[in-house]
Amino acid sequence: MARQSRTQGGHPEPTPPLGFRERLGAMANVPQFLAAIWRTSRTLTVLDLGLRLVRALLPVATLFVGKLIIDEVTRLIRGGALSGGVLDYEHLWWLLGIEFALAVGADLLGRVVSLVDSLLSELYANRTSIELMQHAASLDLEDFEDADLQDRLDRARRQVAGRSGMLSQLFGQAQDIVTMASFAIGLAVYTPWLILLLLVALVPAFLGEIHFNARSYAVNYEWTPERRELDYLRMVGASANTAKEVKSFGLNPFLIERFATLSRAMYAANRRIAVGRASWGGLFTTVGTLGYYGAYALIAWRTVHGEFSIGDLTFLSASFRRLRTLLDGLLSGFSQLAGQALYLEDLFSFFRIQPEILSPKDARPFPVPVREGFRFVDVGFRYPGAERWAVRHLDFTLRAGEVLALVGENGAGKTTIVKLLSRLYDPDEGQILLDGHPLAEYDLEELRAHIGVIFQDFVRYYLQAGENIAVGRIDARDDKIRIEDAAARSMADEVIGKLPKGYDQMLGKFFKGGVDLSGGEWQKIAIARAYMRAAPLLILDEPTAALDARSEYGVFQRFKDLSAGKTAVIISHRFSTVRMADRILVLGNGHVVEVGSHEELVAAGGQYAELFELQAAGYR
């Protein structure tokens, strides 16, 4: 049935969460993100966390050893001044050696952690990209023709790479929490009230960061269609595929102006947020600095009055400064993490979209051979969001072993019938039977594997010539004999024979060394894919539009000869080709208007005869 973009359970796409509670609620995505990291590599994840735990304790240990060194130096100075004797430096050297070892260890650990982070991030990005491609492949064709879903897919793609850095940030914050806890314990032993002062100074900055991160996400969310348009304009304005027409029509000024207008609007929206963040951030930072120096002054005052040693002063002031920096970073990082979690929703919500066209349990195997054929029983279908029916009340049979041609003006429903036969869509009304059983009862993958279909808008793959043919049956891509046979059947062998590297030649100008083909040559390559499939049902949906009349006639004559004993569907505007079919189905406004052979339809003097006469008159 036609429907809107939907997630699992049929819920529509959520609006971007902007409330404080909703922003914090987005943190529920973090466990799912961590689970994905764990699945990526358990070994690297455990190693990363273990190294970070050790690294988290090094700062407070280094600072405490520094306090001991200062106290030892102070003791030595006082001892020497009082006694005038020889000083014992052994304890001081040991402390200096320990601090040196801690400094070297911290540096080495930092490098190893960065290495593990980068490896784990890359593995995560690669794995998630594969999962994204796999999930996209499972979705219905209807989903890819939905602009809203295209926006969601675009956001999901961006988050695959964009959220890789979140791993380092998330693990870094966990490390900082451990470091903070150790510093807090040290401060609590001396002056627990400093921690309270610290929190009062930093909470406003934390709330400000959360606010501006949410606003930034809202702009990114709302401007997704415009950002996709910018990507499209950037591609059209500087692409080998569009260069000829863009230059011929003088479109560059128009495309550049449109890009400039959109990009200026996006810049203005982002600038407002950036200016607000910088202004309020400066104010909040000043408040935090005042809090730090107020605490520093109090520690210095108590040291002067003998409550703390010089080493204690150094340890406490440095601990407070480090704790302030860590807490500031943690609160800021948490607000950023909440923002990152909003973006994670873009990725995970895409994974929650579920296809509706699926194989049923205990699915029927595809019948080999097909005995009765395909029967459309009062079939009706309209595309999502469309008021007009693409086809309705269709009743006809595609008999096993016959070649059926579909004829009609543009929009008559010819390609829709092909999509319904391939079960790229399911009917909204009626049903399609295969050998007397509903098409929906058959295994979906097996059904499509037994149908060889080439559409008018076939894909030009920037792969080797042999691989371009092999995509028709990709699991047989190493079968050179099969590839060459398919090329000979479609007359693509003549095209490939002229290429410098033959079947190993890279096609298209996208990659270095590639050779581009003419439209007709590309079409012969595409038709070879249908023969490569060797399916019992072959469908050619106007894939020869770029061929001249003689070449098209030759292709279809060979197609008719080579498809003997197979069921086939041909769509073409050329009646010299259509007349080779066993039967012709004439469509008009989504309905079957006439059915019969070429001779029968011409003799009937109906719509087919009229279209035939119009085309024939053009050749006189």
Side-chain angles (χ1 to χ4, degrees):
M1 297 292 290
R3 73 281 190 201
Q4 301 297 320
S5 291
R6 65 276 181 278
T7 56
Q8 190 172 22
H11 300 295
E13 179 182 5
T15 55
L18 298 178
F20 179 75
R21 183 176 298 176
E22 287 78 9
R23 287 176 235 152
L24 292 181
M27 294 293 290
N29 290 312
V30 172
Q32 191 173 347
F33 173 73
L34 290 174
I37 296 296
W38 178 254
R39 291 194 304 270
T40 298
S41 174
R42 296 183 179 184
T43 301
L44 287 178
T45 303
V46 170
L47 179 62
D48 200 338
L49 292 174
L51 291 173
R52 284 184 178 278
L53 177 62
V54 175
R55 195 179 177 208
L57 299 173
L58 289 181
V60 69
T62 302
L63 201 57
F64 186 74
V65 171
K67 162 197 152 32
L68 295 178
I69 290 173
I70 292 174
D71 285 341
E72 180 66 12
V73 169
T74 303
R75 186 187 67 79
L76 289 172
I77 291 173
R78 289 176 178 172
L82 291 174
S83 63
V86 179
L87 301 178
D88 181 7
Y89 293 101
E90 182 178 359
H91 187 54
L92 178 62
W93 295 130
W94 271 107
L95 290 173
L96 289 172
I98 292 171
E99 185 170 11
F100 174 76
L102 290 173
V104 172
D107 180 67
L108 292 177
L109 275 176
R111 294 176 184 276
V112 175
V113 166
S114 295
L115 172 63
V116 175
D117 274 357
S118 65
L119 294 176
L120 193 53
S121 293
E122 185 170 355
L123 284 176
Y124 166 76
N126 293 342
R127 179 190 175 98
T128 308
S129 294
I130 292 172
E131 291 177 345
L132 188 71
M133 293 169 66
Q134 290 173 334
H135 188 69
S138 74
L139 299 181
D140 302 333
L141 178 62
E142 179 177 327
D143 293 318
F144 289 94
E145 295 175 346
D146 185 328
D148 288 336
L149 184 128
Q150 286 301 310
D151 288 344
R152 299 177 73 180
L153 178 57
D154 180 71
R155 289 194 294 268
R157 278 200 206 99
R158 292 172 185 272
Q159 301 327 312
V160 170
R163 295 317 114 199
S164 295
M166 185 178 177
L167 180 150
S168 180
Q169 182 183 12
L170 189 61
F171 285 5
Q173 284 194 279
Q175 174 185 317
D176 288 345
I177 288 173
V178 175
T179 304
M180 242 174 50
S182 59
F183 275 126
I185 291 171
L187 282 178
V189 171
Y190 293 93
T191 52
W193 53 268
L194 288 179
I195 298 174
L196 181 61
L197 178 62
L198 197 60
L199 289 173
V200 171
L202 292 179
V203 164
F206 167 64
L207 296 177
E209 278 295 313
I210 284 186
H211 171 73
F212 285 109
N213 279 332
R215 284 191 60 191
S216 179
Y217 171 73
V219 168
N220 276 302
Y221 186 99
E222 292 165 1
W223 283 76
T224 298
E226 287 80 4
R227 188 172 57 241
R228 281 206 301 129
E229 185 174 352
L230 284 174
D231 290 342
Y232 175 73
L233 291 170
R234 196 181 290 116
M235 182 273 294
V236 172
S239 169
N241 293 331
T242 60
K244 289 184 293 185
E245 186 160 316
V246 167
K247 287 181 178 294
S248 298
F249 291 154
L251 295 178
N252 288 103
F254 163 75
L255 294 172
I256 292 171
E257 176 58 29
R258 188 157 184 167
F259 182 92
T261 301
L262 272 176
S263 60
R264 281 195 297 266
M266 284 194 69
Y267 169 76
N270 287 317
R271 181 183 60 191
R272 286 192 293 270
I273 296 174
V275 170
R277 186 194 295 268
S279 302
W280 285 100
L283 176 62
F284 294 146
T285 299
T286 302
V287 172
T289 303
L290 285 172
Y292 165 69
Y293 278 101
Y296 191 26
L298 289 173
I299 295 171
W301 175 267
R302 294 181 66 177
T303 302
V304 170
H305 286 76
E307 296 182 43
F308 298 139
S309 68
I310 300 297
D312 292 336
L313 170 66
T314 306
F315 176 74
L316 288 173
S317 60
S319 293
F320 187 84
R321 184 174 64 252
R322 288 293 303 273
L323 190 57
R324 173 183 176 269
T325 302
L326 283 170
L327 191 55
D328 187 22
L330 185 67
L331 295 177
S332 175
F334 179 79
S335 67
Q336 292 174 10
L337 192 61
Q340 297 259 17
L342 291 172
Y343 288 101
L344 280 176
E345 179 63 24
D346 293 332
L347 178 62
F348 295 146
S349 69
F350 179 77
F351 282 120
R352 288 195 293 271
I353 301 171
Q354 296 299 313
E356 292 186 354
I357 299 178
L358 299 166
S359 294
K361 293 181 179 179
D362 302 321
R364 293 179 180 275
F366 190 91
V368 180
V370 175
R371 300 186 181 278
E372 300 175 20
F374 296 81
R375 183 184 171 197
F376 281 61
V377 182
D378 195 29
V379 169
F381 174 80
R382 58 183 170 190
Y383 290 95
E387 295 182 3
R388 175 178 169 272
W389 289 84
V391 294
R392 200 170 196 194
H393 302 308
L394 282 183
D395 280 290
F396 71 91
T397 300
L398 171 59
R399 300 165 187 158
E402 81 167 339
V403 177
L404 178 70
L406 302 181
V407 174
E409 297 177 346
N410 291 335
K414 303 184 296 296
T415 298
T416 300
I417 289 177
V418 172
K419 291 177 179 178
L420 292 171
L421 267 176
S422 308
R423 213 178 162 216
L424 295 174
Y425 287 100
D426 279 339
D428 292 320
E429 294 179 348
Q431 60 181 339
I432 304 172
L433 305 178
L434 169 56
D435 281 1
H437 300 284
L439 205 61
E441 292 184 4
Y442 290 90
D443 182 85
L444 185 59
E445 288 188 13
E446 195 175 341
L447 171 70
R448 291 176 180 167
H450 284 82
I451 298 176
V453 56
I454 301 297
F455 290 100
Q456 181 178 10
D457 53 346
F458 60 86
V459 179
R460 303 182 181 193
Y461 295 99
Y462 298 135
L463 303 171
Q464 294 178 1
E467 293 172 328
N468 252 282
I469 295 173
V471 296
R473 177 71 73 178
I474 197 62
D475 55 349
R477 61 186 175 277
D478 296 325
D479 191 340
K480 293 184 178 180
I481 295 177
R482 184 168 181 167
I483 293 173
E484 292 173 1
D485 179 65
R489 288 168 178 259
S490 70
M491 299 190 291
D493 57 340
E494 301 171 2
V495 177
I496 296 173
K498 299 175 184 177
L499 298 175
K501 297 181 181 179
Y503 287 90
D504 295 327
Q505 178 65 54
M506 184 68 70
L507 299 184
K509 291 291 189 179
F510 195 77
F511 298 110
K512 185 177 180 180
V515 174
D516 207 1
L517 305 178
S518 69
E521 289 172 331
W522 271 112
Q523 287 189 318
K524 289 180 180 179
I525 295 288
I527 293 170
R529 296 170 193 160
Y531 290 117
M532 182 73 186
R533 205 156 184 77
L537 173 59
L538 297 177
I539 302 174
L540 296 186
D541 181 6
E542 297 193 61
T544 56
L547 297 178
D548 56 66
R550 183 184 297 275
S551 297
E552 184 185 41
Y553 181 84
V555 167
F556 276 119
Q557 183 64 55
R558 181 169 295 195
F559 175 79
K560 189 174 189 303
D561 294 340
L562 294 173
S563 63
K566 295 185 178 181
T567 308
V569 176
I570 296 174
I571 299 177
S572 175
H573 281 103
R574 291 194 178 114
F575 287 88
S576 57
T577 296
V578 170
R579 67 191 303 169
M580 290 188 291
D582 299 319
R583 281 193 310 146
I584 301 169
L585 202 70
V586 184
L587 298 168
N589 296 321
H591 304 280
V592 176
V593 178
E594 296 176 293
V595 181
S597 66
H598 171 75
E599 291 76 14
E600 291 170 345
L601 293 174
V602 170
Q607 182 175 325
Y608 180 87
E610 179 185 353
L611 294 173
F612 177 74
E613 180 59 30
L614 286 172
Q615 190 172 110
Y619 288 94
R620 292 176 186 148

